[in-house]
Amino acid sequence: MNFPATRMRRLRRTPALRSLVRETHLYPGALVYPLFLCPGEGVRREVASMPGVFNLSIDEALKEAESCAALGLGGLLLFGLPAHKDDLATGAYSENGIVQQGLRALKSSRSLDTLVLIADVCLCEYTSHGHCGVVTRSASPASPAPGEAWRIENDATLPLLARTAVSLAQAGADIVAPSDMMDGRVEAIRAALDAAACENTPILSYASKFASAFYGPFREAASSAPQFGDRRSYQMDGANLREAMREIDLDIAEGADMILMKPALPYLDVIRAARERFDVPLGAYQVSGEYAMLQAAFQRGWLDPERAMLESLTSIRRAGADFIVTYFAKDAARTLA
Ligand code: PBG
């Protein structure tokens, strides 16, 4: 049946009709808000390239979490800025690490029970060199191959990641989320969690994580920029969709309960492909650069903030994400209310 019998505009005539036939829905419970915990008291330091995003001391983070719970958000993703960094990232797995302290504080408040607390598992915020794994340099005995001045050691990193995950689970994390992209980390983390009687702690694996320019503002927020080199030997090449499917396959085989895709908007095709192929819960991370880019346009008055924000989030849901990690979580929940 063609025109004039078929008129697509009939169902677009009123807001009520459009609402009735809408295929994709956004709701606060599907949004996760990242928090950057830092030492101190009363600290609320805005990240220059991320307007509205702050480094928060734990007392301030508690207030922020209260407002997230009141808005009906699904959860929080916790990152830490340790007081001190070293080559083995001890701050990531120390019992009194910044995120461990934050988790205990957040868990002690009943009013925050509706929020799922997700702890990012990575070493880059805690290493002096800013890489996500253990680094060996050519001067050291376990020397990297000729021609390499340094190397990110995959297998030596796994026990540290596993230790970090256990420490975070014991401090109260509802979910641990490895974001480092070392091979075999999900298996190592699952085994360590089970051995520590944390067999009920799920793993949300950043299974498909591309080496992206869009992480720039995050590295300012978490002061985790690599001091030399880049992350291309462990994060994926942005040109590769099939490789992303293999990464996800492996992580699920190793025991990932859920997967996280990252970045989101520049990789919607990868999200869609993963959605069609895998039946595990799937999240997407609208990363710092995606947020910064939109905020920059809002500041110039070049885009309508509410509409552009909701449209970008709806697109990520339409591509297949069950939930979205986004710096817009609170603003979006307010707009949707
Ligand atoms: C840690 C990590 C990063 C992000 C999440 N976890 C940074 C990176 O890989 O360099 C980026 C999040 C964002 O850009 O919002 N490895």
Side-chain angles (χ1 to χ4, degrees), residues 253-320:
E254 288 179 29
D257 300 279
M258 329 158 72
I259 55 174
L260 193 60
M261 315 287 296
K262 171 177 182 212
L265 219 46
Y267 295 85
L268 290 180
D269 56 325
V270 187
I271 296 174
R272 168 49 47 193
R275 173 74 298 163
E276 285 174 4
R277 213 153 148 158
F278 303 102
D279 290 333
V280 295
L282 182 156
Y285 197 145
Q286 182 182 49
V287 300
S288 56
E290 301 178 58
Y291 177 82
M293 192 163 63
L294 287 168
Q295 285 290 350
F298 301 163
Q299 286 188 353
R300 284 166 181 73
W302 288 354
L303 287 174
D304 177 308
E306 286 190 358
R307 291 190 54 204
M309 166 181 73
L310 293 184
E311 186 173 335
S312 69
L313 293 170
T314 300
S315 299
I316 297 166
R317 289 263 301 148
R318 192 194 58 239

Side-chain angles (χ1 to χ4, degrees), residues 242-257:
R242 289 191 297 267
E243 185 186 352
M245 299 303 111
R246 288 191 70 203
E247 282 282 3
I248 298 169
D249 238 340
L250 288 167
D251 281 8
I252 293 174
E254 288 179 29
D257 300 279

